[in-house]
Amino acid sequence: MINSIRNTVFFLLNKDNRGYISPLEFNSFAKMAQLEVFEQYFGDFARQTQLQNLRKRSLGFGDMAEQLENKISTFATSATLNYTDVDATSSDPAETNPGGVEDYFSHPSNYYKLINLTYGGRTLQEVNKFKFDMLLNSNLTAPSVRFPVFYREDSNIFVRPLSIYYTGTTPQNAEVPLIMNYIRKPLDPIWGYTSVGGNPVYNAAATTNFEVSAEDEVNLIIKICKHAGLAIREVDVVSAMTNEEQIDLQVTNS
């Protein structure tokens, strides 16, 4: 798909000799366009879900909510989380030294949105920091292995009870791993090429294709042309692509 999209983009840009973009520039614009399309899935899905709740949902091929959910689900994956032992000499610095730094788990590098966390077949409950601290200080509602909880701060995940981190005072060796189910970011698209006579020639072996749906090819072309128009300072290209983008958005949300 990526070679077809590049050829179309170059045809549109070179139609009136507007300018040339290098493979490096194209790959940069393609990355931005794919992220925009990918992030648009979630906003469109939320809007379609609202229409569904208002009983304005189409069925069959017109069921946009289901189509968007299918697109998003292709990026669903899971990973075993590794924790960072802030103070290896203590089983828990925060517990032995209130206010100290806590051990934590980290998001995978390709993390985008959380689905859930599981431990030993149980799903952890996410809470905010205030409730997390409140639960820890309660004798009745303290987290347990049967009812573990977590909160997130930036890219760090803080989990209780401590037995998820340790067996006694010894760090666990992933005998019962903490599993994150999540939506990952798409891989960066790369139009690979080989230089022949000083000109770039498509090389499939060096290429990373778009990961968003093939149904979004037109949307990708519009967005790449828009970015390219800004780069080569062609206002009419940007204006035309912006109009096409608005039309496409209206069709999606209608």
Side-chain angles (χ1 to χ4, degrees):
M1 182 169 72
I2 192 170
N3 193 45
S4 171
I5 288 177
R6 181 180 180 274
N7 290 340
T8 303
V9 167
F10 270 57
F11 172 78
L12 293 172
L13 293 180
N14 293 330
K15 186 176 180 182
D16 296 316
N17 295 318
R18 289 190 172 97
Y20 172 81
I21 58 173
S22 68
L24 181 62
E25 289 174 317
F26 174 81
N27 287 337
S28 177
F29 301 149
K31 175 183 176 180
M32 288 189 289
Q34 177 170 252
L35 282 175
E36 289 171 4
V37 170
F38 175 71
E39 291 172 352
Q40 189 177 327
Y41 286 165
F42 298 90
D44 290 346
F45 179 72
R47 282 187 287 273
Q48 292 298 325
T49 301
Q50 287 179 336
L51 291 175
Q52 176 181 326
N53 293 337
L54 294 172
R55 299 184 182 277
K56 295 182 179 181
R57 175 183 179 182
S58 299
L59 299 176
F61 292 113
D63 190 344
M64 293 299 299
E66 183 178 359
Q67 292 176 30
L68 287 162
E69 186 174 12
N70 290 337
K71 289 180 180 181
I72 293 171
S73 66
T74 62
F75 296 94
T77 188
S78 60
T80 298
L81 299 186
N82 296 317
Y83 67 85
T84 298
D85 192 358
V86 177
D87 184 356
T89 64
S90 170
S91 62
D92 183 357
E95 188 163 284
T96 58
N97 178 24
V101 180
E102 299 180 63
D103 295 350
Y104 60 88
F105 293 86
S106 298
H107 290 160
S109 59
N110 63 349
Y111 168 86
Y112 184 75
K113 282 187 181 293
L114 178 69
I115 298 175
N116 60 34
L117 291 181
T118 63
Y119 173 79
R122 295 181 174 86
T123 299
L124 280 71
Q125 179 184 0
E126 182 172 13
V127 297
N128 59 37
K129 179 66 166 64
F130 173 78
K131 188 171 183 180
F132 185 85
D133 293 337
M134 185 175 67
L135 290 173
L136 295 183
N137 293 323
S138 170
N139 292 326
L140 297 176
T141 61
S144 65
V145 173
R146 292 187 62 189
F147 300 103
V149 299
F150 72 98
Y151 83 91
R152 291 183 287 166
E153 187 174 272
D154 298 326
S155 62
N156 299 332
I157 304 169
F158 301 92
V159 178
R160 287 297 183 273
L162 293 178
S163 55
I164 289 180
Y165 294 97
Y166 292 88
T167 301
T169 59
T170 303
Q172 294 192 84
N173 295 315
E175 295 175 3
V176 184
L178 182 64
I179 304 294
M180 173 184 276
N181 299 298
Y182 64 102
I183 302 297
R184 65 173 178 83
K185 297 175 184 176
L187 296 173
D188 293 345
I190 298 173
W191 184 81
Y193 69 95
T194 302
S195 184
V196 178
N199 297 314
V201 176
Y202 178 61
N203 181 354
T207 292
T208 302
N209 217 329
F210 288 101
E211 287 201 299
V212 292
S213 173
E215 297 173 0
D216 295 296
E217 182 169 341
V218 172
N219 200 4
L220 287 168
I221 291 170
I222 291 171
K223 292 181 181 298
I224 293 171
C225 282
K226 185 177 177 181
H227 290 303
L230 288 170
I232 61 179
R233 299 182 181 180
E234 284 289 346
V235 178
D236 57 335
V237 174
V238 176
S239 179
M241 293 303 109
T242 299
N243 290 337
E244 290 293 332
E245 197 171 31
Q246 290 300 320
I247 293 171
D248 186 64
L249 186 62
Q250 290 172 8
V251 170
T252 300
N253 294 326
S254 60

